[in-house]
Amino acid sequence: RTMALALSDDIRSQDVPRIVGALLGRSDVQAATWQRMKADWTRLAGKLDPYQGLPGVVGSVGAFCSASDAADVQRFFDANPVPPAARSLAKAVERIGSCAAVRQRQQPALTRWLDQHPTR
């Protein structure tokens, strides 16, 4: 519902990147937000300023944290290029890759620690 509102005329275009960014930053709605973004990309991109709004929305995908997400983001924007947001996209994909690497490196140790320290 929040994405539908963000796409509506009720929300100012300059507020949309913050709304989308907040949704992409929440793990419970991240996947649904990304799917809606992709499905409504033409409408979303048309609502935003190409040099301010679009880079903000594109940069928000940097909240993902897996190699498969990075590949999906890259595929999507390869098929739907946004030249004014090229730098934001590159930085977002780099952030996703860094997060995925840290997760891969740290998850086994965290899992072991949690197994050794059960909740009471």
Side-chain angles (χ1 to χ4, degrees):
R1 291 188 325 215
T2 305
M3 275 299 288
L5 182 62
L7 290 166
S8 76
D9 291 336
D10 294 333
I11 300 296
R12 298 178 311 169
S13 62
Q14 63 262 37
D15 296 329
V16 172
R18 269 192 310 275
I19 293 169
V20 173
L23 291 171
L24 287 171
R26 289 185 45 187
S27 60
D28 59 328
V29 295
Q30 188 178 63
T33 301
W34 174 234
Q35 293 307 313
R36 181 69 185 264
M37 264 181 72
K38 292 190 296 185
D40 290 328
W41 180 249
T42 302
R43 194 166 147 210
L44 179 61
K47 183 173 180 161
L48 300 171
D49 177 88
Y51 295 97
Q52 291 181 356
L54 274 175
V57 168
V58 171
S60 295
V61 299
F64 291 123
C65 191
S66 75
S68 63
D69 289 331
D72 186 32
V73 164
Q74 192 65 60
R75 270 191 310 276
F76 178 77
F77 287 110
D78 284 347
N80 301 278
V82 185
R87 185 168 181 224
S88 293
L89 176 61
K91 289 169 63 176
V93 170
E94 183 178 349
R95 272 194 316 273
I96 297 168
S98 294
C99 181
V102 168
R103 176 181 277 175
Q104 183 179 11
R105 198 169 47 249
Q106 297 297 325
Q107 194 162 11
L110 177 61
T111 300
R112 279 193 304 278
W113 188 89
L114 290 172
D115 288 344
Q116 294 169 359
H117 300 87
T119 58
R120 296 172 197 220

